[in-house]
Amino acid sequence: FLFSFVGGAGGRKSFARITDKRPKEEPMTVLKLLADAFHEGGWGMWPILTLLMITVSIITERAVVLRKAVIDKEKLLALLRSQISQGNIQGAIKVCSGNPTPLTRIVQTGLMRANRSEAEIVSAMEEASLRELPAVEKRTGYLAMLGNLVTLAGLLGTITGLIKSFAGVAGVDPSQKATLLSKGISEAMNCTAFGLGTGIIGLAAYAWLNGKTQGIIDDINEMKKNVVNLVASAKAAKHG
């Protein structure tokens, strides 16, 4: 019935062309809606856009850095245990140097002093941690600040839009009041929506990246204790 309604085979081709065009038009419609909303938001959208770009750049940079800093802790520990238990400290050092991450660099620093006292090994790894951890933690905290700041920027745009709308209708022709009022309210609401959306992105990314950062720090602290214990056990076995 459907094919007969659209005109047989020719109708089927026309129907297919129509259905094929719809998905291609949707992205343009979304982009147009976003562009119109940005234009209607007025000057207040530009500070929010600037903060959004800064937020996205920090998220991207931190995600790349933290991804490179992640290593399979259990696999690394198994490799180190097999080397250290055999007294092959150089082999353990090569395992660390072959997998350059903040964790392995800290462990490698301790292993290079494996022939010294336990206190010196711990001190060496603590010193290496002071060098490595700032690179893991830096800039992530800015995302929480940016999330709050962009929300306030959106609120500022909302207030100025409302002030503009109510001040604009004073002393104008009654037929134009509704238009001016709706334009000002549209500006206010677009700033609110854009500011809240950007703030949500920043705060959600902060929670995610902060969790990954804390996980890396916890792995480093655990691995330092494990390495000290492995070296101490190897020394005890050698002298026992």
Side-chain angles (χ1 to χ4, degrees):
F1 172 75
L2 177 61
F3 292 145
S4 62
F5 175 75
V6 296
R12 278 180 285 179
K13 293 179 181 178
S14 300
F15 183 74
R17 285 196 294 271
I18 292 171
T19 55
D20 288 343
K21 288 180 181 177
R22 286 179 182 173
K24 296 177 183 178
E25 292 174 356
E26 287 179 1
M28 294 302 296
T29 303
V30 172
L31 290 175
K32 188 175 185 303
L33 287 173
L34 291 174
D36 291 342
F38 187 87
H39 178 71
E40 292 172 3
W43 70 269
M45 302 292 270
W46 289 103
I48 300 173
L49 179 62
T50 302
L51 293 172
L52 174 61
M53 293 172 65
I54 295 172
T55 299
V56 171
S57 64
I58 292 176
I59 293 171
T60 304
E61 187 267 342
R62 287 288 87 199
V64 171
V65 169
L66 294 181
R67 182 172 181 176
K68 291 180 179 179
V70 173
I71 190 170
D72 190 336
K73 179 189 65 177
E74 299 301 328
K75 184 177 179 181
L76 175 64
L77 182 59
L79 290 172
L80 293 177
R81 181 180 288 113
S82 65
Q83 296 293 329
I84 296 173
S85 62
Q86 297 172 11
N88 187 9
I89 300 298
Q90 289 301 318
I93 292 174
K94 288 181 180 179
V95 169
C96 293
S97 61
N99 300 276
T101 65
L103 189 154
T104 53
R105 285 192 288 268
I106 291 169
V107 170
Q108 181 178 349
T109 303
L111 291 174
M112 291 174 69
R113 290 166 175 77
N115 59 340
R116 301 186 183 182
S117 67
E118 181 177 321
E120 289 182 275
I121 296 172
V122 172
S123 177
M125 289 194 290
E126 290 296 334
E127 183 180 344
S129 297
L130 294 176
R131 291 194 305 269
E132 297 290 341
L133 291 183
V136 174
E137 297 175 308
K138 68 178 181 181
R139 284 192 284 273
T140 301
Y142 292 155
L143 292 174
M145 180 199 68
L146 288 169
N148 292 321
L149 188 60
V150 77
T151 303
L152 294 176
L155 179 60
L156 178 62
T158 302
I159 299 301
T160 56
L162 291 175
I163 292 173
K164 180 180 177 181
S165 64
F166 288 114
V169 298
V172 301
D173 188 86
S175 61
Q176 298 179 354
K177 284 187 177 181
T179 302
L180 292 174
L181 190 61
S182 63
K183 184 178 180 181
I185 293 175
S186 174
E187 177 180 328
M189 294 300 101
N190 278 302
C191 281
T192 301
F194 195 28
L196 288 176
T198 304
I200 290 170
I201 292 171
L203 292 174
Y206 168 75
W208 173 60
L209 292 171
N210 190 56
K212 290 181 72 67
T213 301
Q214 192 59 49
I216 292 171
I217 294 172
D218 291 342
D219 287 346
I220 288 172
N221 291 332
E222 182 182 349
M223 187 62 73
K224 286 192 295 187
K225 294 183 182 298
N226 289 333
V227 168
V228 170
N229 292 335
L230 288 173
V231 172
S233 298
K235 286 181 178 179
K238 182 178 179 180
H239 295 294

